[in-house]
Amino acid sequence: MYAPLTPEYYAIPGTQRCVFRIMQERGDTQAWNLYWLSKPETDCLLLRHDEWFQHYQSLSPDQTLAFYEALDTEVINRLSLASVVALPPRQAIPLLAAARLERTRFYALFGGEVWRHTMLGRLFLAARLEDSHSSKPETAADIVWIDFHTRHPTLKNGTLHHHR
């Protein structure tokens, strides 16, 4: 999981059937990863659990349907978005940068390229969190650089190439 804690920690206090508990019960790691990547304000729930409803805005029914459809949508090299967000953060970053997210309805509903940039920023955070839990020191070869101004970056032989 990309988030620092499991969905249970983000759950609505005193409520058994909230989206976070459902994801936790079903072991739906890909949905939880995509949700955490897409909604950074979710992290505020950990700080202000007593004021949960002031920091949380649920997805509308249409957004929820588009969210789950997006998980099943092929976005790059025959991989679904669920397959991409199931990968470790450093592997997911270049794939998400090159993914055809516009194939999903959720792309338009969640801000288009702003959504991609939000998710990439969160993936970099997830990678740093993962690094903080490993004892292996980071090297220059481990760093992935993304140029957010390119239209279609691709990964070839472990190197990210940009097409204008």
Side-chain angles (χ1 to χ4, degrees), residues 1 3 5-13 15-29 31-37 39-46 49 52-53 55-59 67-68 122:
M1 284 193 227
L5 299 168
T6 66
E8 180 63 33
Y9 285 94
Y10 295 84
I12 302 171
T15 304
Q16 288 303 94
R17 301 300 299 168
C18 81
V19 65
F20 304 114
R21 285 201 174 93
I22 292 169
M23 287 180 190
Q24 178 83 29
E25 289 167 10
R26 294 187 178 164
D28 199 346
T29 302
W32 173 236
N33 282 347
L34 182 59
Y35 193 94
W36 186 81
L37 292 175
K39 292 192 60 113
E41 62 273 15
T42 303
D43 289 337
C44 293
L45 301 178
L46 297 173
H49 232 180
W52 198 93
F53 288 102
H55 300 285
Y56 176 75
Q57 182 179 356
S58 65
L59 298 176
F67 173 85
Y68 281 100
R122 301 283 281 173

